[in-house]
Amino acid sequence: MRLLPFHLFLIFSISSEAIELGQIETKETRAAEARHAEKLNPKRDGWDTEAFSNTAQAKLNELGSLLCKPKTPSAESFTSFVKANALSTRLLPIDSLKKIYGGPNLEVKRLATGTSLNSDQNPLLQFQTLSTAFDSPRFKFKLFNVTKLDRLQTLTKQFFAFSDEKRELNATWSILWEGEDPKIKSINLEECELVTRAQPKPLLTDATGSFLESRPDLTDHLGHGINYWQGRVEKILSMHYFGHNGLAVGDVNGDGLDDLYLCQSAAVPNKLFLQQKDGSTKEVAADSGVDLLNATRGCLLIDLDNDGDQDLALTTPYATLVYANDGSGKFSLTQNISIASGGYSLTSADYDNDGDLDLYVCVYYQKPGDASALAYPIPYHDANNGGQNILLRNDGMKFTDATKESGMMTENHRFSFAASWEDMDADGDIDVYVANDYGRNNLYRNQLSQTGKATFTSDAAAPGIEDTSFGMSVCWGDANADGFIDLYTGNMFSGAGNRIAFQDQFQRHAPGEIKAKLQRTARGNSLFINNKNDTFTDVTMTAGARQGRWAWGSIFADLNNDGLEDLVVGNGFVTGKKEDDL
């Protein structure tokens, strides 16, 4: 099978003849592995730059491993990686870094934009300096740009992360390689950030183990990943391998302590954890009437009937369900909203200013079911064949579809992952921004009349926040503490996408505008700062907000209580049994 160049940057590897780990090696398995390797050879399709990327990445990984040796290697140990007379800028320019943040536990220094560094350093000594400066470090190189200069010279750009228990170096290197068996001819440090912690312990501590400790009933359910359950649950129940299952936090029994509702995949019961005064939890989903076996993706704990307690709303492939809380943490189903099926996420706001909370359901696919059987996005960079999101008006705990009457059917056929409400234009009514996979995001601007009739218009382009990418999350917050609301979108950063989409042979016959949009999809997350005049400016690259990897979730939160809103980005992707095979 030959890979379509357009999809190449999203596919890390495809194996139609995957060999299970532990299988006894035979001539047949070796032959199958050889065929598999040949299929993955990018030169078969003319992608010499990707072949070079593989070679360079392997060499960088070897270099990183040597930098992390327990005993500091000599400068001569690095000669196999560099050309004779190779040159470099300083790779750890401590005296050129300026402090941009300082607190009791954390200091951040960064190389100012435009700082000139002399490029007359010996890279062998620079490598040794790096290795010496960190204690038992870890490393990561991520190569995201390849430019062939001529037959023997190639320029690459790569992120470099180097850290130990107290310090973390995040840098961008531009490397000039030379030769058929390429070696480094020069290194230029383009970006550099050094984070230092006052204490070696991490800022946040993983408490999952204590949460599950001595609880076999929980470990049997929560101690296993999707692969485990997929091998035990019928395929017809559509347990998605991405694990699109959310959670909600709220005080369900009125004791002043936040509790946790956890959504699960089909056939595995949802969980409700009541927080105890000693910090432990008690699982009560069955007793509370919310131990659903339906595949549950999005959920909210909010007061929907204005009686002072937290009700529960959640999405399943076949309906949106609303449960009323009796005040003690016991729930009863009040509405099964079948017209709002297939929801991936939920968000809530009083969009019509009538005093109760309404619901907005993001629907990714046109119909529920196994994702492998559903439509591919068309066109890929601006898809309009996804599901229809649904606005549910709350009329006294009875929810009615208000999507069409409110004007929110406009551009409502996208692959929507998430939405967030905010009065972005400060006119007294609340607007909603929708993050869409495979193309443009939507801003639905609310025009609320004096009689309470809400009419929405799709208007993301005018304020400059349309953001064409693989949108997966969105949040509002005051990023620069100027009193005006700003916007952050979580998208996808793809190293392969950034390498391939900028090559001449990528989408060779596509119009320039289309090619630019496709290139944009791999850039990463976006931060838009409010200009205080109903427009926004994209400051992603200068603010350091781009690299959120595969950013499924994002939120503004003041983690260190300094009065400034920080960004938390949840990211990741599927890891298969074989490291080179998704």
Side-chain angles (χ1 to χ4, degrees):
M1 179 184 71
R2 288 184 176 269
L3 297 176
L4 295 173
F6 181 70
H7 291 94
L8 190 59
F9 73 90
L10 286 178
I11 300 174
F12 298 105
S13 64
I14 297 176
S15 173
S16 60
E17 302 166 274
I19 301 165
E20 292 295 328
L21 295 179
Q23 183 176 340
I24 297 175
E25 187 175 0
T26 65
K27 290 182 179 180
E28 288 76 14
T29 61
R30 288 195 296 272
E33 286 182 326
R35 291 194 298 272
H36 172 51
E38 177 57 24
K39 289 179 180 179
L40 297 180
N41 182 1
K43 286 190 173 182
R44 293 178 71 243
D45 298 299
W47 288 92
D48 292 347
T49 53
E50 278 301 281
F52 184 89
S53 171
N54 292 340
T55 300
Q57 184 69 58
K59 288 181 176 290
L60 291 172
N61 289 342
E62 291 179 26
L63 172 60
S65 297
L66 185 56
L67 289 171
C68 294
K69 289 286 186 181
K71 185 177 180 180
T72 303
S74 64
E76 290 72 23
S77 302
F78 298 99
T79 54
S80 62
F81 299 100
V82 300
K83 300 280 291 185
N85 301 320
L87 294 174
S88 171
T89 56
R90 284 183 297 154
L91 301 180
L92 188 60
I94 299 293
D95 56 353
S96 296
L97 302 181
K98 294 185 178 181
K99 185 166 73 172
I100 62 169
Y101 175 83
N105 299 314
L106 197 69
E107 180 185 76
V108 181
K109 291 185 175 181
R110 187 176 294 169
L111 190 68
T113 303
T115 300
S116 178
L117 296 174
N118 292 332
S119 56
D120 58 356
Q121 303 295 305
N122 184 338
L124 304 179
L125 295 177
Q126 291 302 307
F127 294 152
Q128 188 182 38
T129 299
L130 272 177
S131 182
T132 305
F134 289 78
D135 184 23
S136 300
R138 301 174 297 276
F139 82 95
K140 176 69 175 181
F141 281 104
K142 189 173 185 65
L143 198 157
F144 63 90
N145 182 271
V146 180
T147 303
K148 292 286 288 184
L149 301 181
D150 54 41
R151 188 176 65 84
L152 293 178
Q153 293 195 110
T154 304
L155 188 68
T156 65
K157 291 187 179 183
Q158 42 274 304
F159 296 127
F160 174 57
F162 203 56
S163 63
D164 58 20
E165 288 190 344
K166 292 191 65 173
R167 296 200 295 174
E168 179 175 335
L169 174 70
N170 294 295
T172 302
W173 292 3
S174 177
I175 300 179
L176 178 63
W177 303 81
E178 187 176 79
E180 294 184 359
D181 179 20
K183 292 185 177 182
I184 295 171
K185 185 176 182 179
S186 68
I187 305 176
N188 181 53
L189 181 68
E190 294 191 347
E191 297 175 315
C192 183
E193 180 181 85
L194 184 64
V195 181
T196 304
R197 294 189 292 271
Q199 301 295 329
K201 64 180 181 180
L203 298 178
L204 299 174
T205 302
D206 183 359
T208 311
S210 61
F211 183 67
L212 298 176
E213 188 175 5
S214 302
R215 296 287 300 274
D217 57 322
L218 295 180
T219 304
D220 285 346
H221 283 173
L222 303 180
H224 301 290
I226 292 293
N227 287 343
Y228 174 90
W229 289 111
Q230 281 189 318
R232 288 159 175 79
V233 175
E234 290 289 343
K235 183 178 180 181
I236 195 173
L237 294 174
S238 303
M239 179 175 283
H240 198 286
Y241 53 86
F242 278 7
H244 289 135
N245 308 108
L247 56 83
V249 175
D251 180 8
V252 303
N253 57 356
D255 64 354
L257 300 173
D258 280 334
D259 309 304
L260 172 69
Y261 188 77
L262 180 65
C263 300
Q264 298 254 58
S265 298
V268 184
N270 292 354
K271 300 293 184 184
L272 175 59
F273 298 98
L274 295 185
Q275 186 178 173
Q276 308 300 297
K277 291 183 179 180
D278 62 359
S280 63
T281 60
K282 181 180 180 182
E283 205 289 304
V284 297
D287 292 340
S288 297
V290 287
D291 57 333
L292 279 74
L293 291 173
N294 306 70
T296 314
R297 295 191 179 112
C299 64
L300 291 174
L301 283 170
I302 49 175
D303 187 3
L304 293 170
D305 51 13
N306 289 336
D307 64 353
D309 55 38
Q310 302 289 289
D311 306 305
L312 176 66
L314 47 85
T315 63
T316 75
Y318 306 105
T320 294
L321 306 176
V322 177
Y323 287 82
N325 189 345
D326 69 358
S328 68
K330 305 292 184 182
F331 293 86
S332 57
L333 180 64
T334 62
Q335 192 172 359
N336 180 321
I337 312 172
S338 59
I339 57 170
S341 63
Y344 264 51
S345 66
L346 272 171
T347 187
S348 176
D350 182 8
Y351 79 89
D352 51 5
N353 285 0
D354 67 350
D356 54 26
L357 291 173
D358 311 294
L359 296 173
Y360 187 74
V361 185
C362 288
V363 182
Y364 192 83
Y365 287 115
Q366 287 186 12
K367 61 180 181 178
D370 185 356
S372 64
L374 297 173
Y376 288 104
I378 300 173
Y380 202 77
H381 64 283
D382 192 16
N384 284 281
N385 63 323
Q388 291 186 3
N389 300 340
I390 299 170
L391 177 65
L392 296 172
R393 185 180 65 245
N394 188 350
D395 297 316
M397 203 59 166
K398 177 73 174 178
F399 290 87
T400 303
D401 183 359
T403 314
K404 185 175 182 179
E405 69 181 50
S406 65
M408 295 189 77
M409 285 299 292
T410 305
E411 298 186 18
N412 191 26
H413 296 84
R414 300 192 183 276
F415 290 77
S416 300
F417 262 131
S420 183
W421 294 89
E422 181 60 57
D423 184 5
M424 57 80 63
D425 49 13
D427 64 351
D429 52 42
I430 199 158
D431 315 295
V432 64
Y433 189 91
V434 184
N436 298 315
D437 210 356
Y438 304 108
R440 291 178 289 159
N441 293 339
N442 297 112
L443 169 69
Y444 290 103
R445 194 189 293 262
N446 193 349
Q447 305 294 330
L448 187 65
S449 71
Q450 292 183 348
T451 61
K453 178 177 173 56
T455 303
F456 291 90
T457 56
S458 183
D459 185 31
I465 53 176
E466 196 167 46
D467 201 32
T468 301
S469 190
F470 296 117
M472 294 186 283
S473 62
V474 54
C475 58
W476 299 90
D478 186 1
N480 56 353
D482 66 350
F484 287 79
I485 202 72
D486 308 305
L487 178 70
Y488 188 71
T489 61
N491 304 309
M492 180 196 75
F493 176 87
S494 169
N498 279 279
R499 293 193 306 269
I500 292 173
F502 288 87
Q503 300 296 324
D504 290 339
Q505 68 264 41
F506 174 76
Q507 292 289 293
R508 188 184 301 275
H509 303 295
E513 178 185 358
I514 300 301
K515 191 168 182 177
K517 288 182 177 180
L518 292 171
Q519 291 167 345
R520 170 64 189 88
T521 59
R523 188 190 80 171
N525 297 354
S526 297
L527 176 61
F528 299 94
I529 295 297
N530 197 321
N531 295 325
K532 308 176 187 179
N533 61 0
D534 209 19
T535 66
F536 292 73
T537 297
D538 185 347
V539 299
T540 306
M541 304 305 285
T542 56
R546 167 196 189 188
Q547 177 56 293
R549 299 175 174 86
W550 291 65
W552 295 104
S554 54
I555 190 170
F556 281 100
D558 183 4
L559 293 181
N560 52 359
N561 294 326
D562 65 352
L564 301 175
E565 293 193 275
D566 311 304
L567 274 169
V568 181
V569 180
N571 60 73
F573 201 71
V574 177
T575 300
K577 291 181 179 181
K578 296 181 67 176
E579 291 186 358
D580 68 337
D581 193 341
L582 292 180

